[in-house]
């Protein structure tokens, strides 16, 4: 038998400035399932996390609430910890970045980088709030858009016309904090010389540490040439002061990933068998995995490994990136009640329902995951209650009434038990690869086979026949053993169900290797219902509780513009004014995937990369492109700020640009050579 692996796992740090919602929970549940699988296999797998507790936003919220930042982050940490625990996310340590371990490690890493020549300083000009006596980040400045003249826009981009600009380009700028007119001031800032690590990062990002789609995205930044990274902020700022630089603080993203190390170091102080250097040292042979969302890839896959390299620490074994969560095919919405906080969910529904649904949808890629609430109810009720728990409830009564709860010896269907045994390596492989959807499919296929076999043998009918009692006991004993096998395969996803099943089965905690054996001449405990069906009324109550009154918003009542995702029927039928045209956000898009839509005569489904995200667009161009795969890798142009349109086949999140009379004569418009995905066309 091989030696147990030594594995350290982290999830991205939740920001200590708000509640956990179901989009956040996707990542923590995904990570927890993988960790539980490793532990069930007998590996040493440590799972650490922490609240990300620094930054101006936390300082300002604490001030608004009339408490100290330390009180605020303590309150939020208690809320976060409760949510995670109730969703059965089992951290070995949940710490805070505002901790002494993090202060020490951040200072140490910074000094190593500085002494090695990887820190630069230079003066920059920023807006300064004369009333609050603080420099203003872009999001704390508002004014009139210099492009379209729309008022009350943030300091980096216009929500109406999509223009991007420097805060100094805004007309009539105001501080979003005090309302004062900001003034320009110079300040010396500190920069991490990321270009020093260009060669290392180009090799490391292509070394198998990242999913291919993520590595391809990072290649765009690497090919364009890395820039120095501003790692300092001026007082007042809630964070750690930079060593030897009074009034200068580490930018929150400098010390946040170091929080992974700090949380583990804090755990080491309480777990003597753990050695910090054995997991973080340059020569560490342990495995290190980060689970993150695709929105923070640059921090984790460029800045973070460069910092570790420069400071003499090991780099991650792999960074596992997931997509966003949508609900009912659309972005989470407060007005629709689909922006659901973790606690609101828990007030109405059991945590394992969501854990299983996420598992059934999670592949190993970076695709977004949709929580379709109708499908959620149907899938949980069908799979968990109708298939898995049903086996135990069907068989337990016969065993208790007919044989005092004792499982008889024997194997009533060797070919069926062999099928379960043979499936285990593939299910384990799927778990290891984070392909939870495949693991669930293969497990439920086994549940279907077990149910079909029991239905065919019909012990309820045999039990009424004279002399068939031994056969009934043999059938039901195997049924309980097959149920036990399924529980083993589902335990990383459903730890509560597994614990209740272990109590019923009268066995110690089930390990993965227990699937190789059957219980024989074994006493069961009393059977109690293990899971109840989801009541759709409770789902509706959850969404009702999540709704907020949006007094000024009419976004949910307006019809989607005609042609969203399809060619306009008559583009010259009406005139528009210049302001309407200026509001169009026209982007360069890279076609990552193109495929025909089953059941649609004219539509292609296009997966588009527009720089900072991927979009799903349906386009009526199938007649011109009968072999849609030939479109993949091509650049085109799309309208990125068109309201998403829910169609029979899914949600279309924009519209690609094409011209032509129709039929085979439709031509996708393409930008000139040299264009890059995400560039705005002006």
């Amino acid at each position: 038998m091989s030696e147990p692996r030594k594995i350290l796992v982290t999830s991205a740090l939740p920001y200590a400035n708000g509640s956990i919602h179901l989009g956040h929970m996707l990542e923590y549940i995904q990570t927890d399932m993988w960790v539980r699988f490793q532990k069930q296999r007998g590996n040493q797998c440590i799972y650490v996390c922490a609240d990300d507790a620094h930054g101006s936003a936390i300082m300002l919220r604490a001030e608004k609430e009339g408490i100290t930042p330390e009180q605020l982050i303590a309150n939020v940490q208690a809320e976060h910890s409760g949510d995670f625990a109730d969703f059965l996310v089992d951290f070995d340590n949940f710490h805070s970045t505002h901790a002494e371990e993090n202060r020490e490690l951040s200072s140490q890493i910074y000094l190593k980088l500085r002494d090695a020549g990887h820190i630069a300083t230079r003066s920059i000009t920023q807006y300064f709030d004369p009333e609050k006596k603080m420099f203003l980040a872009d999001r704390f400045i508002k004014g009139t858009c210099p492009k379209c003249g729309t008022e009350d826009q943030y300091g980096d981009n216009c929500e109406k016309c999509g223009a991007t600009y420097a805060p100094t380009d805004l007309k009539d700028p105001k501080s979003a904090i005090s309302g004062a007119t900001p003034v320009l001031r110079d300040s010396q800032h500190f920069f991490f010389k990321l270009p020093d690590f260009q060669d290392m990062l180009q090799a490391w990002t292509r070394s198998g540490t990242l999913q291919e789609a993520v590595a391809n995205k990072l290649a765009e930044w690497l090919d364009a040439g890395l820039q120095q990274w501003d790692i300092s902020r001026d007082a007042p700022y809630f964070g750690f002061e930079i060593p030897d630089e009074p009034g200068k603080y580490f930018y929150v993203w400098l010390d946040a990933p170091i929080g992974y190390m700090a949380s583990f170091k804090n755990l080491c102080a309480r777990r003597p068998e753990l050695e910090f250097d054995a997991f973080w040292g340059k020569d560490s042979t342990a495995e290190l995995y980060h689970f993150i969302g695709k929105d923070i890839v640059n921090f984790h896959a460029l800045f973070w490994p460069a910092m570790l390299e420069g400071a003499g620490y090991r780099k991650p074994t792999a960074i596992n990136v997931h997509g966003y969560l949508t609900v009912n095919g659309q972005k989470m919405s407060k007005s629709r009640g689909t922006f659901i906080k973790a606690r609101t969910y828990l007030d109405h529904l059991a945590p394992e329902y969501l854990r299983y649904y996420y598992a059934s949808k999670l592949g190993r890629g970076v695709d977004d995951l949709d929580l379709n609430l109708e499908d959620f109810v149907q899938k949980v009720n069908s799979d968990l209650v109708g298939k898995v728990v049903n086996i135990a409830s069907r068989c337990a009564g016969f065993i208790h009434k007919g044989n005092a709860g004792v499982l008889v010896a024997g194997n009533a269907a060797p070919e069926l038990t062999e099928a379960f045994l043979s499936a285990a390596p593939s299910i384990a492989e799927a778990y290891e690869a984070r392909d939870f959807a495949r693991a669930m499919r293969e497990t439920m296929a086994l549940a279907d086979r077990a149910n079909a076999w029991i239905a065919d043998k019909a012990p309820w009918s045999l039990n009424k026949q004279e002399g068939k009692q031994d056969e009934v006991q043999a059938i039901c004993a195997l049924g309980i053993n097959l149920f036990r096998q399924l529980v083993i395969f589902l335990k990383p996803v459903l730890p509560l169900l597994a614990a209740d099943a272990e109590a019923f089965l009268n066995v110690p905690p089930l390990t993965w290797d227990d699937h190789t054996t059957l219980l024989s001449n074994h006493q069961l405990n009393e059977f109690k219902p293990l899971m109840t069906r989801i009541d759709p009324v409770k789902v509706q109550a959850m969404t009702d509780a999540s709704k907020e009154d949006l007094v000024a918003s009419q976004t949910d009542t307006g019809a989607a513009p005609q042609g969203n995702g399809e060619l306009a029927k008559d583009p010259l039928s009406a005139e528009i004014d210049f302001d309407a045209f200026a509001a169009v956000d026209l982007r360069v898009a890279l076609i990552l995937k193109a495929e025909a839509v089953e059941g649609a005569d004219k539509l292609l489904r296009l997966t588009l990369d527009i720089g900072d995200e991927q979009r799903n667009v349906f386009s009526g161009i199938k007649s011109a492109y009968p072999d849609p795969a030939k479109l993949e890798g091509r650049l085109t142009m799309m309208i990125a700020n068109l309201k998403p349109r829910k169609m029979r086949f899914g949600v279309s999140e924009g519209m690609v640009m094409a011209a032509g009379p129709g039929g085979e004569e439709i031509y996708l418009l393409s930008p000139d050579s040299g264009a890059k995905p995400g560039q705005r066309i002006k």
Side-chain angles (χ1 to χ4, degrees):
M1 181 178 291
S2 59
E3 285 291 315
R5 294 155 60 187
K6 294 173 61 175
I7 308 170
L8 178 60
V9 180
T10 76
S11 296
L13 311 185
Y15 198 42
N17 192 34
S19 299
I20 302 295
H21 57 65
L22 297 194
H24 296 131
M25 286 309 311
L26 173 64
E27 178 172 309
Y28 302 102
I29 289 173
Q30 179 193 36
T31 315
D32 180 76
M33 293 187 301
W34 195 79
V35 168
R36 286 180 181 273
F37 168 72
Q38 298 298 343
K39 290 181 175 181
Q40 193 181 356
R41 296 272 279 182
N43 294 319
Q44 182 187 41
C45 190
I46 310 297
Y47 183 16
V48 300
C49 196
D51 264 339
D52 182 2
H54 288 156
S56 298
I58 285 172
M59 177 183 72
L60 293 168
R61 178 182 165 185
E63 181 181 305
K64 184 178 180 180
E65 294 185 11
I67 59 178
T68 65
E70 288 81 2
Q71 287 175 304
L72 172 64
I73 62 178
N75 294 344
V76 173
Q77 185 171 24
E79 178 190 332
H80 286 181
S81 296
D83 290 346
F84 289 136
D86 289 348
F87 260 110
L88 312 175
V89 175
D90 189 20
F91 298 115
D92 288 275
N93 196 40
F94 187 74
H95 204 35
S96 170
T97 59
H98 192 64
E100 193 57 35
E101 296 94 345
N102 203 30
R103 183 192 303 274
E104 293 173 358
L105 284 164
S106 297
S107 297
Q108 176 199 99
I109 287 173
Y110 166 79
L111 290 172
K112 286 183 176 180
L113 295 173
R114 185 194 68 180
D115 294 347
H118 299 307
I119 301 296
T121 60
R122 67 174 181 271
S123 181
I124 67 170
T125 302
Q126 287 178 285
Y127 271 130
F128 182 84
D129 186 327
E131 289 188 13
K132 294 294 293 183
K133 307 296 183 187
M134 63 181 291
F135 284 96
L136 297 171
D138 294 354
R139 66 183 180 279
F140 293 138
I141 305 166
K142 284 194 169 184
T144 300
C145 173
K147 304 292 184 182
C148 71
T150 301
E151 298 179 350
D152 202 35
Q153 297 303 301
Y154 285 101
D156 54 357
N157 72 285
C158 175
E159 293 182 348
K160 181 176 181 181
C161 73
T164 57
Y165 39 74
T168 50
D169 294 333
L170 276 176
K171 298 176 182 177
D172 304 317
K174 299 291 182 184
S175 166
I177 301 170
S178 69
T181 300
V183 296
L184 290 172
R185 284 195 182 177
D186 292 338
S187 176
Q188 180 169 277
H189 273 230
F190 296 78
F191 294 82
F192 176 46
K193 295 161 73 172
L194 191 61
D196 290 356
F197 301 90
Q198 174 93 22
D199 292 342
M200 180 275 290
L201 289 170
Q202 283 185 310
W204 184 78
T205 55
R206 291 295 187 184
S207 64
T209 57
L210 304 167
Q211 295 115 305
E212 185 177 0
V214 177
N216 291 341
K217 182 64 182 176
L218 292 171
E220 295 177 19
W221 286 316
L222 288 162
D223 292 345
L226 298 174
Q227 304 298 313
Q228 293 185 357
W229 176 39
D230 190 343
I231 61 167
S232 65
R233 294 295 184 267
D234 292 281
Y237 191 81
F238 184 60
F240 294 143
E241 205 166 39
I242 298 176
D244 307 322
E245 303 295 340
K248 303 291 183 181
Y249 289 79
F250 288 128
Y251 173 45
V252 59
W253 265 108
L254 184 285
D255 66 65
I258 299 173
Y260 300 138
M261 304 173 77
S263 183
F264 183 69
K265 189 170 186 178
N266 176 264
L267 181 64
C268 289
R270 291 180 279 112
R271 298 257 303 261
E273 78 277 12
L274 297 176
E275 296 180 8
F276 183 82
D277 287 343
F279 287 83
W280 287 102
K282 189 74 172 177
D283 299 323
S284 168
T285 58
E287 301 169 51
L288 171 61
Y289 299 96
H290 298 310
F291 285 73
I292 64 167
K294 61 185 178 182
D295 55 325
I296 52 175
V297 164
N298 56 337
F299 292 105
H300 283 80
L302 294 177
F303 303 159
W304 179 230
M307 287 167 55
L308 291 168
E309 178 79 8
Y313 290 102
R314 59 86 48 83
K315 295 184 288 294
T317 306
I319 298 176
N320 303 319
V321 183
H322 62 83
Y324 300 130
L325 178 74
T326 59
V327 180
N328 292 339
Q330 300 182 50
K331 292 180 180 179
M332 292 189 295
S333 162
K334 293 180 180 179
S335 61
R336 287 189 293 269
T338 56
F339 189 95
I340 303 167
K341 292 181 179 180
R343 185 52 52 185
T344 306
Y345 174 96
L346 291 165
D347 287 341
H348 296 87
L349 295 164
E352 289 190 313
Y353 297 153
L354 190 68
R355 288 177 65 100
Y356 176 72
Y357 191 77
Y358 280 173
S360 73
K361 299 290 183 179
L362 270 167
R364 58 176 300 158
V366 295
D367 296 333
D368 294 345
L369 184 151
D370 184 52
L371 169 59
N372 181 290
L373 294 174
E374 289 185 11
D375 181 52
F376 166 67
V377 172
Q378 188 277 330
K379 190 164 192 62
V380 169
N381 289 348
S382 172
D383 288 2
L384 297 186
V385 182
K387 296 180 182 179
V388 177
V389 172
N390 185 53
I391 296 172
S393 61
R394 271 180 162 184
C395 298
F398 292 112
I399 296 170
H400 277 290
K401 291 177 183 177
N403 202 40
V406 176
L407 294 180
V408 297
N411 184 348
E415 73 287 349
L416 189 54
T417 56
E418 177 59 32
F420 272 60
L421 185 66
S422 299
S426 179
I427 295 172
E429 181 185 77
Y431 268 118
E432 180 67 40
R434 307 179 318 284
D435 195 348
F436 300 104
R438 193 186 109 204
M440 296 305 98
R441 284 195 306 273
E442 295 182 7
T443 300
M444 288 305 148
L446 294 174
D448 285 336
R449 291 189 63 174
N451 276 295
W453 179 78
I454 294 169
D456 180 64
K457 296 298 182 182
W460 43 87
S461 297
L462 291 174
N463 197 50
K464 299 174 184 177
Q465 300 176 30
E466 191 71 30
K468 296 290 186 178
Q469 302 309 310
D470 288 348
E471 189 176 350
V472 169
Q473 290 302 312
I475 293 166
C476 291
L478 182 58
I480 293 298
N481 268 299
L482 296 178
F483 166 74
R484 172 176 168 270
Q485 307 291 71
L486 294 171
V487 169
I488 291 170
F489 298 151
L490 290 169
K491 187 174 181 178
V493 179
L494 306 171
L496 272 186
L497 175 67
D500 290 343
E502 288 160 354
F504 157 62
L505 294 168
N506 191 26
V507 295
L510 292 164
T511 69
W512 190 266
D513 287 344
D514 286 334
H515 80 272
T516 61
T517 62
L518 298 177
L519 299 177
S520 180
N521 295 317
H522 179 78
Q523 178 70 56
L524 299 176
N525 287 324
E526 179 187 357
F527 178 79
K528 298 177 182 178
L530 297 172
M531 184 172 283
T532 58
R533 293 179 180 275
I534 298 177
D535 185 346
V537 172
K538 292 185 177 181
V539 176
Q540 184 61 50
M542 175 186 69
T543 58
D544 289 344
S546 300
K547 287 180 181 177
E548 294 185 7
D549 291 328
L550 302 180
V551 178
S553 174
Q554 300 297 324
T555 56
D556 289 338
T557 59
Q562 183 181 10
N564 184 7
E566 301 177 10
L567 294 174
K569 298 294 186 289
D570 186 5
L572 301 178
S573 61
E575 293 182 344
I576 61 172
D577 60 26
F578 181 79
D579 287 344
F581 178 75
V584 175
D585 182 6
L586 196 58
R587 304 268 194 104
V588 175
L590 173 65
I591 301 174
L592 298 175
K593 189 174 183 181
E595 55 189 339
V597 178
E598 186 174 347
D601 294 331
K602 299 179 180 179
L603 291 181
L604 295 183
R605 179 188 284 107
L606 305 177
T607 302
L608 304 175
D609 178 359
I610 58 169
D612 54 358
E613 63 177 307
Q614 291 183 15
R615 294 281 187 90
N616 180 71
V617 169
F618 291 98
S619 181
I621 58 174
K622 183 178 179 181
S623 58
Y625 299 98
D627 185 0
K630 291 183 178 179
L631 291 173
E632 294 176 5
R634 174 175 167 177
L635 292 175
T636 187
M637 297 185 291
M638 74 168 290
I639 297 174
N641 60 339
L642 204 57
K643 182 177 178 179
R645 179 185 178 190
K646 190 171 184 179
M647 305 174 70
R648 181 158 60 96
F649 313 99
V651 177
S652 189
E653 302 172 302
M655 181 169 71
V656 294
M657 304 300 291
E664 295 180 0
E665 295 184 63
I666 298 175
Y667 308 100
L668 273 181
L669 302 187
S670 298
D672 290 340
S673 61
K676 292 184 179 297
Q679 285 183 331
R680 284 185 169 87
I681 301 168
K682 301 178 181 179

